[in-house]
Amino acid sequence: MRFCIIPVTAYQQNCSLLICEQSHKAAIVDPGGDIDMILKIINRENVLPESILITHGHLDHIGATAELAALLSIPVIGPHQDDQFWIDAIPEQCRTFRFPACDSFTPSRWLSQGDIVKVGEEILDVFHCPGHTPGHVVFVHRNTKLAIVGDVLFKGSIGRTDLPKGDFNTLINSIKNNLWPLGKEFSFIPGHGPMSTFGEEMRSNPFVGNASRID
């Protein structure tokens, strides 16, 4: 499996295109906006989108979902149902954050810990990682040691926990109990900013690294 990272909207949110190299099918992860840009990359890569995968329900990650799903006639998969209140609140989120109006949607499938999702012939494991939002999920491709972590973890930081139903201790536990056991060699695509590895964050991240005092 290979991937393309597509930063979208003024928030520079990392929409990702995950590509199965055997079938040339693809999944679009967290299409926050800028549909024309996403379609341009899909056409450039000459792949067939088969699903939209959602890590969590914040507007900058889901803003273009309803329109793109309808345009491409593909299902929306994820996040965990605990984020339904965020998805239902898309119109309010748009007003609050001065986003162009976006439509709400109902995923074809909610996800839970231990589920799997297919991208062509490739398999992604699903980890429920609440804290940033209660229904946040992470997608893990074990064969290439890649995780798509949304806003759970960043290079040198972690997701904010001051928005409704966020919780700092829950987020720390999600990272340490779900992500770290996967191994230091895993690379990850965060929701914003550059990629990093779990090993680097274990070593140096001030919130969850070796220098932190958080148990």
Side-chain angles (χ1 to χ4, degrees), residues 113 124-129 137-149 152-153 174-188 197-199 202:
Q113 178 81 12
L124 303 176
D125 291 316
V126 175
F127 289 80
H128 181 209
C129 294
V137 297
V138 165
F139 299 102
V140 172
H141 188 246
R142 294 183 187 271
N143 288 349
T144 54
K145 298 188 185 304
L146 175 72
I148 300 90
V149 303
V152 169
L153 180 69
S174 288
I175 294 168
K176 291 189 172 183
N177 296 334
N178 281 321
L179 303 188
W180 283 181
L182 290 168
K184 296 180 179 180
E185 66 274 20
F186 263 78
S187 299
F188 67 90
T197 66
F198 289 164
M202 289 179 195

Side-chain angles (χ1 to χ4, degrees), residues 11-27:
Y11 289 87
Q12 289 295 281
Q13 190 277 126
N14 288 333
C15 172
S16 299
L17 185 67
L18 306 181
I19 301 168
C20 170
E21 295 184 277
Q22 290 179 305
S23 65
H24 301 290
K25 293 180 179 179

Side-chain angles (χ1 to χ4, degrees), residues 62-135:
I62 64 172
T65 300
E67 183 177 353
L68 192 60
L71 182 65
L72 298 175
S73 298
I74 56 177
V76 179
I77 301 174
H80 187 282
Q81 194 163 9
D82 284 352
D83 265 16
Q84 181 169 3
F85 78 103
W86 275 118
I87 296 172
D88 292 343
I90 287 178
E92 181 181 347
Q93 289 191 65
C94 289
R95 291 190 295 270
T96 299
F97 295 102
R98 299 180 180 179
F99 233 69
C102 302
D103 292 330
S104 186
F105 59 90
T106 300
S108 302
R109 176 186 168 196
W110 298 103
L111 295 173
S112 298
Q113 178 81 12
D115 284 348
I116 64 169
V117 174
K118 295 192 72 174
V119 180
E121 303 301 318
E122 302 291 341
I123 293 176
L124 303 176
D125 291 316
V126 175
F127 289 80
H128 181 209
C129 294
H132 178 63
T133 68

